[in-house]
Amino acid sequence: MRSGPLGSPLRFRLVAESDEDQAALKELGTYGFIRGAAGFLIGAAPRSQTSLEDCGYRLEELVLLGTDLELGSCWLGGTFTRSGFARKIGLAPDEELPAAVALGRIADPERAKRGVIRRAAGSDTRLPWGMLFFQDSFSVPLPREAAGPYAEALETVRLAPSASNKQPWRILRTDGGWHFYLRRTRGYHKGFLQKALGVADLQRIDIGIAMCHFELAAREAGLHGEWTDREPAVETENSQTEYRITWSD
């Protein structure tokens, strides 16, 4: 048991792949990209206002550790609640299994090197700085040179993985810190079918991934801060944009 940066208690397990897992992957439509996975990272989180961000943060930490060990990885999001993944971690009634990560070798290394998989996932079409980072108001883009020592931390956020490469994070810089917002993709989570199937709010997990990249890069650069709930009094971009958390430096 460990907690996320926002305090949610989390449980993680590393499990070996089984035939049952292969069947689950086929249902998710991802099996072709994960052939030969050695195992899976799965995590359980209580349902709360911050648990999905915490789960995304800690899982991405483990993914980055696996990358250092030269392991390939692939984030999975879907209806895990009634799957073998949930049984392997002993999912409690008050918990959810928001996502899992497959670990192992890349299914087709040569194809991956040519960038086919990256282009299919939209990984080569990251949004530019001016659409993600802002100064004092969402009408004023933050120039890279104005980010000072935090420029590299912001760039790691821009390059971070997200569900369907939607990059739902927006970061607003004020004197009070770096404010993280979730700009929802219309129809991405709140549809009736998604709620009925119990699919986790994947874009909140994406915010946790962005937080992980930002904090690790900031600390690597010798920058210090903490996560706080300090929503600034500013007008958001639109009704699809909601405040999540602030890094106070």
Side-chain angles (χ1 to χ4, degrees), residues 186-232:
R186 291 185 183 276
Y188 198 84
H189 166 68
K190 306 235 176 181
F192 170 78
L193 183 60
Q194 289 166 306
K195 288 184 178 180
L197 292 174
V199 178
D201 189 343
L202 298 180
Q203 295 199 310
R204 280 182 53 202
I205 295 174
D206 290 341
I207 294 297
I209 294 173
M211 290 168 59
C212 177
H213 280 232
F214 184 89
E215 180 171 2
L216 293 182
R219 297 204 183 282
E220 180 70 18
L223 303 170
H224 302 285
E226 61 180 348
W227 296 108
T228 61
D229 185 356
R230 190 178 295 180
E231 182 175 3

Side-chain angles (χ1 to χ4, degrees), residues 152-172:
E152 187 63 27
L154 293 176
E155 181 64 8
T156 66
V157 171
R158 193 182 75 85
L159 297 176
S162 59
S164 302
N165 197 42
K166 295 300 183 181
Q167 295 177 266
W169 44 75
R170 299 293 183 271
I171 300 179
L172 179 70

Side-chain angles (χ1 to χ4, degrees), residues 129-150 154 170-179 181 232-235 237 249:
W129 267 65
M131 295 180 68
L132 297 173
F133 312 128
F134 303 88
Q135 177 71 52
D136 296 321
S137 165
F138 282 106
S139 63
V140 181
L142 176 71
R144 184 183 179 102
E145 57 272 17
Y150 278 94
L154 293 176
R170 299 293 183 271
I171 300 179
L172 179 70
R173 173 62 167 169
T174 72
D175 288 340
W178 300 89
H179 309 285
Y181 287 77
V234 298
E235 185 175 350
E237 290 181 292
D249 52 8

Side-chain angles (χ1 to χ4, degrees), residues 36-51:
F40 298 90
L41 281 169
I42 52 179
R47 293 180 176 85
S48 75
Q49 293 298 313
T50 60
S51 59

